[in-house]
């Protein structure tokens, strides 16, 4: 069996199901920056591709790999894999749905609390010897809030959003959600959430958390229209994909005060450079943005769960069965 890995070198070996398994596998480990021609030269006869969730697996590669049976994302995302080309070639595309749901949910809650408790400027204040002034300022103004002071609106209701909803119950938060497909009443009751159309969600909530995949329909879905519908002084957390949020509209919402603060684990245009529009803001805007380096879903436990899914799907294929986690089935 020949496996092509497009991603960080060492991941496959690190998460092997047992130490002897590579004896039966020819592994080609290449970075996601490798050209199609170089990939074909090194691993054009591979039967399986395991790819970083942000790797590109284009049709011009898929169509030239005659032995290819399956492309498996290391994570949940697969938006840069050519799904239609794979379907045309009868190559399954699979992902690790749910592998990092709680990990990303924890990151979302971390960022919500980080915004409300102003952890970034609080840390700086203590380091600069201004601890008591900052504390007394909060007490005088009465503007330090708990999470339960706000209704939380989840945009999307997949595995991660459900995990966020589970955590929200511990904070006694009223949680609402919008999704293209409303969940069953039993599911809503289980997670303690209430469905609202997007317009009503915008009006009802003041803390918003984004949990939808990147598709042609969702790129820049969180746009000027969205920001104009939310209450003045709202909060936004994005642990999904940066492309879902219109960066210029986000900056405008911060400038106008529609958004009080934002927490971003992911930005459009990764890897993020200093000239990114959201990074290159003046202090009066940048101090209201809390960044993290897209680490919500990359915990050690997440990768262990994810690779267990990858190997299970490979084993199923080797036994002549369909993989479990297909996203492009043609049957």
């Amino acid at each position: 069996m020949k496996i092509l890995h497009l991603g960080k070198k060492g991941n496959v070996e690190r998460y092997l199901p047992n130490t002897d398994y590579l004896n039966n596998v020819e592994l080609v480990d290449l970075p996601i920056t490798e050209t199609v021609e170089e990939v074909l030269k090194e691993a054009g006869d591979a039967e399986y591709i395991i790819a970083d969730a942000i790797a590109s697996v284009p049709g011009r590669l898929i169509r030239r790999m005659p032995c290819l049976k399956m492309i498996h994302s290391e994570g949940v995302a697969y938006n840069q894999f050519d799904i239609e080309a794979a379907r045309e070639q009868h190559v399954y595309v699979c992902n690790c749905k749910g592998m990092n749901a709680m990990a990303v949910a924890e990151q979302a809650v971390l960022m919500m609390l980080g915004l409300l408790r102003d952890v970034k400027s609080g840390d700086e204040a203590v380091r600069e010897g201004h601890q008591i002034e900052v504390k007394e300022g909060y007490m005088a103004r009465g503007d330090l809030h708990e999470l339960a002071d706000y209704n939380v609106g989840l945009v999307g209701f997949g595995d991660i959003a459900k995990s966020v909803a589970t955590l929200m119950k511990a904070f006694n938060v009223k949680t609402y959600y919008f999704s293209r497909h409303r969940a069953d009443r039993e599911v809503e009751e289980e997670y303690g959430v209430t469905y609202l159309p997007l317009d009503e969600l915008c009006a009802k909530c003041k803390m918003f958390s984004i949990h939808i995949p990147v598709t042609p329909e969702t790129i820049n879905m969180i746009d000027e229209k969205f920001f104009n519908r939310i209450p003045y002084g709202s909060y936004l957390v994005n642990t999904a994909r940066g492309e879902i949020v219109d960066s210029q509209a986000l900056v405008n919402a911060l400038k106008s005060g529609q958004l009080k603060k934002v927490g971003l684990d992911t930005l459009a245009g990764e890897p993020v450079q200093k000239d990114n529009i959201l990074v290159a803001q003046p202090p009066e805007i940048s101090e209201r943005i809390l960044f993290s380096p897209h680490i919500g879903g990359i915990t050690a436990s997440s990768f262990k769960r994810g690779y267990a899914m990858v190997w299970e799907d490979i084993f199923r294929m080797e036994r002549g069965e369909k993989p479990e986690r297909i996203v492009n089935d043609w049957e």
Side-chain angles (χ1 to χ4, degrees), residues 69-71 91-93 317 322-323 326 328-331:
K69 300 176 183 177
M70 180 174 68
I71 304 164
V91 172
Y92 291 119
V93 175
M317 290 285 289
K322 288 177 64 172
I326 302 167
N328 71 330
D329 206 350
W330 54 85
E331 297 176 0

Side-chain angles (χ1 to χ4, degrees), residues 169 184-193:
K169 289 199 272 186
D184 295 336
R185 293 285 186 183
E186 295 78 8
V187 173
E188 293 180 349
E189 291 174 5
E190 177 184 355
Y191 290 98
V193 296

Side-chain angles (χ1 to χ4, degrees), residues 46-66:
E47 298 163 78
Y48 300 97
I49 296 176
I50 302 173
D52 189 297
I54 65 169
S56 174
V57 185
R60 67 181 187 278
L61 174 63
I62 296 168
R63 294 186 180 98
R64 294 168 68 185
M65 295 183 68

Side-chain angles (χ1 to χ4, degrees), residues 85-141:
R87 181 182 286 116
E88 167 195 309
Q89 298 298 113
H90 281 200
V91 172
Y92 291 119
V93 175
C94 301
N95 73 338
C96 300
K97 183 178 184 296
M99 63 169 276
N100 58 8
M102 187 52 73
V104 179
E106 287 182 3
Q107 186 76 12
V109 176
L110 169 69
M111 302 201 85
M112 292 179 194
L113 296 173
L115 297 177
L116 292 177
R117 298 303 177 97
D118 206 8
V119 294
K120 183 169 71 169
S121 63
D123 176 85
E124 293 171 357
V126 174
R127 293 178 188 278
E128 293 171 4
H130 302 302
Q131 175 261 326
I132 195 65
E133 298 97 316
V134 171
K135 178 179 179 180
E136 290 179 346
Y138 286 131
M139 294 173 70
R141 296 189 303 272

Side-chain angles (χ1 to χ4, degrees), residues 3-4 15 32 36 58 68 93 110 112 125 131 136 143-144 162 196 247 252 254-255 266 270 289 307 309:
I3 296 176
L4 165 64
Y15 300 105
I32 64 175
V36 167
L68 189 61
V93 175
L110 169 69
M112 292 179 194
Q131 175 261 326
E136 290 179 346
D143 61 355
L144 201 61
K162 288 171 181 168
L196 289 175
S247 296
N252 294 342
L254 284 166
K255 288 179 178 178
T266 177
E270 295 186 20
I289 304 175
Y307 261 92
M309 296 175 183

Side-chain angles (χ1 to χ4, degrees), residues 19-40:
T19 55
D20 298 326
Y21 194 75
L22 266 187
N23 294 336
N24 302 314
V25 172
E26 181 183 354
L27 174 67
V28 178
D29 223 333
L30 297 175
I32 64 175
T33 53
E34 204 65 85
T35 66
V36 167
E37 293 304 321
E38 188 61 30
V39 170
L40 290 169

